[in-house]
């Protein structure tokens, strides 16, 4: 019955969405017909047949994408913002496919369908918001609730019960709880005990249950968990499984279901997985590095020539650095030190002013006269644009450490190399001129790792440009 209700709601929502999307296309074409917004619609010479074909492509694309992206699955426990993101992505991609079809049918008509996006999205978002308000009102009157039975106990069950109590708009009521035989953890306060898990069949037969919330305590046996799965499967009742290990602190763990053929695995990642954002970051890296290398080519040649004329040594210095996941690569820089600088470092180790594994001293005697100028304005790092181009580095990210530094990291500090290193980072902008401690340096880099966003990257790049122009490097 519940499955039939979900299917009916999904079909009704789909029909409403298609009607709204069609209306948005009609409205935009009507606006274009006024003459002031000709760019909103296809050219006049586009035949009616071509326009119909393109509309059919749009509808089919929406149906396929909405199914692949699970637009119409139940989202009672999701935030409205997450639902907006899904429908925005599906609608934009459907319009993009329609635009390509229009280009194939009538060359030159490519962008017009993309102009339908704002109105169509606002209509879809308005429908979702209206439905959510209606559901909250209905649930406030005791309607549209799902009945959940808890199986298990302990911290996991307590957290889930608290979550449901704090979010009544989820529309899920607890009808009682079932304990696992042999477990010492009790059911959460307020959950009526209905018996042990061996009586689950009888309990499900006697109660009206929509979900089984399986929250086994740590000492629960795998056989007991499998038994609960089997009983729920035979009865056709959904079983939502919250493993006991998820009751630990998961602030920096981002779970995702991975498939190995037909075998599922729950994968935990240190950073959230955002394929579109990561692809955008890589696109920005490529665009900026290619443009900068072309634009700065004369300057790069001049700097290289000056370094060569200074002492006859090589213009570039390639040092082994540690990149993402511990992979090593050759990091390029303009040489700012004397040719035998690495050999001199052992004699200067006692003068190191940086705590931790890093090595920094003021007025380093190894630095050449032209090297001081290059470092002041961060010009020595320009060759790393080549590292960005080939994918060893990104424009923004923690600076790449040398292997000897990584070997001395505390274990928690290794999360710093879980992302691609960058040309600039928080430390480059705020920390470097102040000679911060190694712990503060690590804290800055880990803050970036845990809170990365495209907006943060853009702000850091702009601030880096200002720092370079002020000559605050060292």
């Amino acid at each position: 019955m519940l499955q039939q209700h979900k299917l009916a709601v999904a079909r009704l929502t789909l029909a409403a969405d298609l009607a709204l999307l069609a209306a948005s296309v009609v409205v935009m074409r009507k606006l274009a017909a006024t003459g002031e917004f000709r760019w909103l619609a296809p050219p006049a010479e586009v035949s009616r047949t071509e326009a119909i074909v393109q509309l059919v492509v749009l509808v089919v694309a929406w149906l396929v994408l909405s199914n692949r992206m699970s637009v119409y699955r139940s989202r009672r426990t999701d935030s409205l913002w997450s639902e907006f993101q899904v429908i925005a992505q599906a609608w934009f991609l459907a319009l993009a496919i329609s635009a390509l079809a229009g280009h194939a049918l009538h060359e030159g008509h490519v962008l017009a369908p993309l102009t339908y996006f704002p109105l169509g999205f606002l209509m879809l978002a308005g429908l979702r918001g209206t439905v959510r308000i209606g559901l909250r009102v209905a649930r406030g009157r005791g309607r549209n609730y799902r009945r959940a039975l808890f199986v298990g106990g302990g911290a996991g069950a307590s957290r889930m019960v608290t979550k449901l109590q704090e979010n009544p708009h989820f529309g899920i009521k607890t009808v009682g709880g079932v304990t696992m035989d042999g477990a010492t953890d009790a059911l959460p306060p307020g959950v009526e005990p209905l018996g042990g898990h061996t009586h689950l069949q009888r309990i499900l037969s006697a109660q009206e249950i929509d979900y089984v919330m399986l929250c086994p305590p740590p000492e629960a046996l795998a056989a007991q968990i499998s038994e609960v799965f089997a009983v729920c499967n035979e009865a056709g009742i959904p079983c939502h499984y919250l493993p006991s290990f998820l009751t630990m602190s998961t602030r920096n763990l981002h779970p995702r279901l991975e498939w190995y053929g037909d075998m599922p695995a729950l994968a935990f990642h240190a950073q959230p997985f955002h394929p579109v954002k990561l692809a955008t970051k890589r696109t920005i890296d490529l665009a900026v590095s290619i443009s900068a290398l072309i634009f700065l080519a004369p300057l790069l040649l001049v700097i290289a020539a000056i370094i060569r004329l200074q002492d006859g040594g090589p213009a570039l210095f390639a040092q082994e650095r540690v990149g993402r996941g511990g992979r090593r690569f050759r990091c390029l820089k303009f040489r700012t030190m004397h040719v035998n600088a690495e050999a001199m470092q052992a004699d200067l180790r006692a003068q190191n002013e940086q705590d931790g594994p890093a090595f920094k001293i003021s007025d380093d005697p190894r630095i050449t006269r032209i090297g001081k100028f290059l470092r002041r304005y961060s010009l020595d790092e320009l060759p790393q644009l080549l590292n960005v181009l080939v994918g060893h580095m990104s424009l923004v990210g923690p600076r790449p450490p040398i292997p000897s530094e990584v070997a001395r990291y505390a274990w928690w500090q290794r999360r710093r190399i879980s992302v691609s290193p960058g040309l600039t980072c928080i430390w480059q902008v705020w920390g470097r001129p102040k000679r911060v401690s190694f712990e503060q340096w690590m804290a800055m880099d880990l803050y970036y790792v845990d809170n990365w966003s495209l907006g943060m990257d853009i702000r850091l790049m702009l601030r880096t440009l200002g720092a370079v122009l002020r000559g605050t490097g060292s």
Side-chain angles (χ1 to χ4, degrees), residues 40 64 92 153 160 185 195 209 216 242 258-260 272 301 394 397 408 440 469:
L40 293 177
V64 172
F92 183 82
M160 183 59 73
D185 289 338
I209 305 297
L242 178 64
E258 302 279 5
W259 288 90
Y260 294 83
L301 292 174
S394 178
R408 297 171 59 192
Q440 292 173 315
L469 294 176

Side-chain angles (χ1 to χ4, degrees), residues 307-323:
I307 295 173
R308 288 283 294 172
L309 291 172
Q310 175 183 247
D311 57 12
L316 292 177
F317 175 67
Q319 186 180 40
E320 187 176 57
R321 297 288 180 116
V322 179

